[in-house]
């Protein structure tokens, strides 16, 4: 916990905002706990350590005095007192210092410059090569450079410095840092992002983030991701088919087949089996393992590996995915069926029908149509909140803005006053409404009265919650991201409605999980192709699938529009069959 606190404090001082950085546990260039001051520093008692070093400096002579003042300055800086840090640093003669001490003097001077807004001299002092920077100070060096480069408008380079910092950060600090990297990249125009990505050397950690940003914009990668040419364990398998089909010989599916999540697990299971038995070529030996048993995910994994499995599909819960990726026993590539907080290990992927993806898709839908000024109408709902957070971020990155947000509730069914107040700043280009069906119908009935006749409306699949064929004529014209399979865009798959009449696990809400299982099979069967080729795509039941450099499955959905109370393919948003894609 102490290390995490220091990380956050140091860069907050450097950049003037909440962010992340790193500090060594013990004073640089000095054995841990060599003096009372050093022990205080090691314990994180920075203000006391600073005063102890200042006292040591008063009694020292020569280079020892310069080093003690330097350490006092460093501890004052870490204690959040830049004024005292500057005064102490001024007492330390840079010319009498060598090696790491000389570098720390320059770094502190640079951090103080950054805090004061003097970015040009800070960058001049921080011009060393990364390899020449002492390891304990490397993350602070990157943090100071990132702040100065961002202030200078060099966003791509600033993102690169932040990418180097990730290995030194704990989980909470890393999440904040990754969010800022994405923001910096999303603010770049296409040509600057493409040129910067192409110039990155092989192995640079920013390439994964830049590649993901390029893929989101539909731009090509300048080169494949810096990763293994094949998924682990695939080398001994027969060669891939012409379309990339290369399943393992033994596949294990870890799903909840009993307990409270059994219905969801059975829908995914039956979708996976439908894809499995729909394939006429070589198929793996497929076994299912119940993750709801007494041993849970660990027991299922141990048994699957003992049975000779070469690949895992599942588990289904977010906590279970984290548990699986944390297990030291995990030796197989995984197609996880949710996204947890732990990144997938090399060779593994995570696949989810996440609200965040729909928020991004909705923002891109509006931006592609030239709609920049967007009114948001939402409700208190976890799915709506998650979709809205990603919508805001993507809209802002694309040059758009949320002009107002209206939160509706069942307690007040009259939305007109709030809508009219939101229109005080002008008429929006479009409306984003992550609402359930009942609230969406009520909003639709009041749009004209609020002065919003003809404004384009985009929702999320949350609008299907509480759907009613007779009443949903109120929703005509509203678009939302949908699974291609449920819109009749089958791509060689069985008809969804016909299948639902005969298979209970493909009915109602289970239809989405059934489609999810269909695509889980495809991801397992084409894992090798997706690992080898970053541009490879699968046309699946849930959308167009692609794996980024982090092992996250990126899904581009189809678009549906309400017409006559029914969901139908939007004419310019449907994913059309493509004979060249598996």
């Amino acid at each position: 916990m102490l290390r995490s606190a220091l990380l956050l404090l140091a860069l907050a001082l450097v950049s003037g905002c909440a962010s992340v950085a790193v500090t060594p546990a013990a004073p640089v260039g000095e054995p841990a706990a060599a003096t009372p001051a050093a022990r205080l520093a090691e314990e994180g008692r920075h203000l006391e350590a600073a005063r102890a070093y200042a006292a040591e400096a008063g009694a020292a002579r020569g280079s020892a005095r310069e080093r003690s003042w330097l350490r006092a300055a460093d501890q004052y800086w870490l204690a959040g007192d830049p004024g005292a840090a500057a005064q102490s640093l001024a007492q330390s003669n840079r010319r009498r210092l060598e090696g790491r001490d000389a570098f720390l003097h320059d770094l502190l001077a640079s951090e103080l410059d950054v805090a004061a807004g003097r970015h040009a001299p800070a960058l001049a002092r921080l011009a060393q090569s990364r390899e020449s920077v002492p390891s304990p100070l490397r993350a602070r060096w990157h943090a100071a450079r990132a702040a100065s480069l961002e202030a200078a408008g060099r966003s791509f380079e600033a993102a690169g410095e932040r990418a180097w910092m990730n290995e030194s950060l704990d989980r909470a600090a890393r999440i904040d840092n990754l969010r800022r990297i994405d923001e910096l990249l999303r603010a770049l125009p296409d040509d600057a992002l493409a040129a910067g990505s192409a110039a990155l050397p092989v192995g640079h950690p920013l390439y994964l983030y830049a590649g993901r940003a390029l893929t989101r914009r539909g731009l090509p990668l300048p080169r494949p991701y810096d990763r293994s040419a094949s998924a682990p364990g695939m080398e001994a398998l027969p060669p891939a088919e012409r379309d990339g089909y290369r399943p393992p010989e033994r596949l294990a599916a870890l799903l909840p087949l009993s307990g409270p999540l059994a219905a969801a697990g059975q829908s995914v299971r039956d979708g996976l089996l439908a894809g499995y038995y729909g394939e006429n070529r070589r198929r793996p030996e497929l076994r299912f393992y119940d993750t709801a048993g007494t041993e849970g995910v660990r027991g299922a994994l141990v048994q699957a590996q003992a049975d000779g499995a070469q690949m895992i599909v599942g588990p289904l819960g977010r906590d279970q995915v984290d548990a699986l990726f944390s297990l030291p026993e995990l030796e197989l590539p995984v197609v996880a069926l949710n996204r947890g907080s732990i990144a997938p290990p090399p060779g593994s992927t995570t696949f989810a029908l996440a609200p965040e993806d729909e928020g991004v898709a909705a923002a891109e839908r509006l931006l592609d149509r030239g709609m920049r000024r967007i009114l948001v109408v939402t409700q208190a709902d976890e799915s709506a909140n998650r979709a809205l957070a990603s919508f805001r971020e993507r809209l802002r990155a694309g040059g758009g803005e949320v002009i107002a947000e209206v939160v509706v509730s069942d307690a007040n069914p009259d939305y007109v006053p709030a809508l009219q107040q939101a229109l005080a700043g002008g008429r929006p280009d479009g409306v984003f409404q992550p609402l359930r069906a009942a609230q969406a119908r009520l909003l639709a009935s009041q749009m004209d009265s609020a002065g919003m006749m003809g404004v384009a409306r985009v929702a999320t699949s949350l609008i299907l919650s509480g759907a009613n064929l007779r009443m949903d004529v109120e929703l005509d014209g509203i678009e939302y991201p949908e699974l291609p399979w449920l819109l009749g865009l089958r791509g060689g798959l069985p008809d969804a409605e016909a299948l639902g009449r005969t298979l209970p696990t493909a009915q109602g809400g289970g239809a989405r999980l059934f489609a999810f299982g269909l695509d889980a099979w495809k991801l397992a069967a084409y894992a090798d192709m997706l690992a080898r080729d970053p541009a490879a795509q699968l046309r699946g039941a849930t959308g167009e699938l692609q794996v980024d450099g982090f092992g996250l499955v990126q899904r581009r959905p189809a678009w549906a529009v309400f017409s006559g109370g029914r969901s139908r393919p939007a004419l310019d948003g449907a994913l059309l069959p493509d004979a060249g894609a598996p």
Side-chain angles (χ1 to χ4, degrees):
M1 295 299 295
L2 172 61
R3 181 175 176 83
S4 301
L6 297 183
L7 301 184
L8 293 167
L9 171 63
L11 188 58
L13 291 170
V14 168
S15 62
C17 62
S19 190
V20 289
V22 169
T23 184
V28 176
E30 176 177 314
T35 67
R39 285 193 293 272
L40 289 169
E42 185 179 12
E43 294 169 4
R45 298 161 64 180
H46 299 298
L47 185 58
E48 297 172 71
R51 291 168 178 166
Y53 276 124
E56 286 183 7
R61 295 290 182 271
S63 60
R65 176 182 180 279
E66 315 304 334
R67 288 195 299 271
S68 293
W69 276 121
L70 174 65
R71 283 158 178 68
D74 190 39
Q75 293 300 307
Y76 275 126
W77 171 255
L78 296 176
D81 190 344
Q87 292 177 3
S88 297
L89 192 65
Q91 300 294 319
S92 177
N93 189 336
R94 165 68 172 77
R95 297 179 181 178
R96 296 181 179 178
L97 299 173
E98 297 179 350
R100 290 189 177 187
D101 291 329
F103 179 83
L104 178 59
H105 194 287
D106 290 341
L107 177 61
L108 274 169
S110 300
E111 290 172 322
L112 290 165
D113 279 341
V114 172
R118 299 186 295 268
H119 298 289
L123 277 177
R125 285 195 183 94
L126 299 168
Q128 307 90 345
S129 67
R130 181 177 187 274
E131 292 71 22
S132 68
V133 177
S135 296
L137 296 173
R138 196 167 285 170
R140 280 175 62 178
W141 179 78
H142 284 301
R145 282 181 55 82
S148 290
L149 289 166
E150 185 175 346
R154 296 160 64 178
S155 298
F156 190 87
E157 295 170 83
E161 300 297 331
R162 285 183 171 272
W164 280 116
M165 291 162 51
N166 272 336
E167 62 188 33
S168 302
L169 306 179
D170 66 11
R171 176 174 171 266
R174 188 180 297 114
I175 289 172
D176 288 339
N177 193 47
L178 296 181
R179 184 180 298 115
R180 187 59 189 146
I181 290 172
D182 279 343
E183 289 173 352
L184 290 167
L185 295 178
R186 285 178 176 178
L188 292 169
D190 289 354
D191 56 350
L193 177 62
S197 302
L200 289 173
V202 173
H204 196 294
L206 184 62
Y207 191 74
L208 295 176
Y209 306 94
R212 181 168 62 183
L214 288 169
T215 300
R216 284 172 174 169
R217 302 186 193 190
L219 300 174
L221 294 180
R223 66 173 186 273
Y225 288 115
D226 308 323
R227 61 189 182 191
S228 170
S230 182
M234 304 296 284
E235 297 83 358
L237 297 182
E241 302 285 345
R242 291 183 61 184
D243 65 346
Y245 178 80
R246 195 185 188 192
E249 293 180 320
R250 291 174 296 279
L251 178 64
L254 277 56
L255 296 171
L257 301 177
S258 62
L261 295 178
Q266 289 161 11
S267 289
V268 174
R269 176 201 62 192
D270 289 354
L272 195 155
L273 285 171
Y276 177 84
Y277 285 114
E279 179 57 64
N280 296 320
R281 294 172 288 185
R282 177 182 66 84
R283 295 195 302 261
E285 175 188 327
L286 174 60
R287 293 189 182 185
F288 290 87
Y289 299 84
D290 189 357
T291 57
T294 56
E295 292 283 337
V297 170
R298 183 182 181 278
L301 172 67
V302 170
Q303 187 59 56
Q305 293 187 155
D307 292 341
Q310 295 173 314
M311 182 182 291
I312 299 289
V313 172
L316 196 56
R318 298 178 73 177
D319 291 343
Q320 289 184 328
V321 171
D322 279 344
L324 180 65
F325 287 160
S326 300
L327 290 175
E329 300 96 330
L330 180 62
E331 301 172 352
L332 304 176
V334 177
V335 178
L337 301 183
N338 214 320
R339 287 182 197 155
S341 59
I342 298 177
S348 294
T349 61
T350 59
F351 177 40
L353 301 179
E356 290 84 355
D357 294 342
E358 294 194 358
V360 170
E364 291 175 346
R365 181 75 166 167
L366 293 166
L367 291 169
D368 288 346
R369 294 180 169 184
M371 300 178 183
R372 298 288 187 270
R373 303 180 70 256
I374 307 302
L375 170 66
V376 168
V377 183
T378 188
Q379 64 184 114
D381 179 274
E382 181 186 0
S383 176
N385 292 338
R386 290 169 59 186
L388 179 55
S390 62
F391 175 85
R392 288 194 200 100
E393 189 174 345
R394 181 66 188 95
L395 185 72
R396 183 172 61 250
E401 62 173 330
V402 174
I403 62 171
E405 292 186 16
V406 175
V407 180
V408 302
S409 69
D410 295 337
N412 182 12
D414 184 6
Y415 302 165
V416 172
L419 292 172
Q420 290 177 332
Q421 183 177 357
L423 295 179
R427 183 180 171 89
D429 298 330
V431 174
F432 176 55
Q433 50 179 85
L435 298 172
R436 296 179 181 274
Q439 288 73 23
R441 288 191 294 263
L442 195 55
L443 173 64
S445 69
Q446 301 181 46
M447 291 279 286
D448 291 355
S449 299
M452 298 179 64
M453 181 183 295
V455 176
R457 293 165 291 166
V458 171
T460 68
S461 62
L462 185 64
I463 201 170
L464 300 175
S465 179
N468 181 299
L469 180 61
R470 181 179 60 82
M471 301 173 65
D472 283 349
V473 291
E474 293 277 5
L475 305 179
D476 281 4
I478 298 176
E479 296 184 347
Y480 70 94
E482 183 56 292
L483 310 189
W485 185 57
L486 296 181
L487 291 173
L489 306 173
R490 292 183 288 167
L493 299 172
D495 179 72
E497 289 190 14
L499 189 63
R501 288 193 292 268
T502 59
L503 189 62
T505 53
Q507 296 173 0
R512 293 180 176 276
L513 291 171
F514 187 92
F516 190 53
L518 280 166
D519 283 357
W521 159 252
K522 295 197 79 170
L523 289 167
Y526 290 90
D528 185 53
M529 178 188 75
L530 295 169
R532 289 176 179 272
D533 182 4
Q537 296 181 347
L538 298 176
R539 293 293 177 92
T542 64
E544 201 169 68
L545 309 178
Q546 192 170 13
V547 178
D548 69 13
F550 298 93
L552 306 181
V553 176
Q554 305 294 324
R555 181 176 67 92
R556 185 166 71 90
W559 278 90
V561 61
F562 280 96
S563 177
R566 293 180 178 273
S567 297
R568 308 181 190 277
L571 293 180
D572 62 341
L575 294 177
L576 301 177
D578 182 354

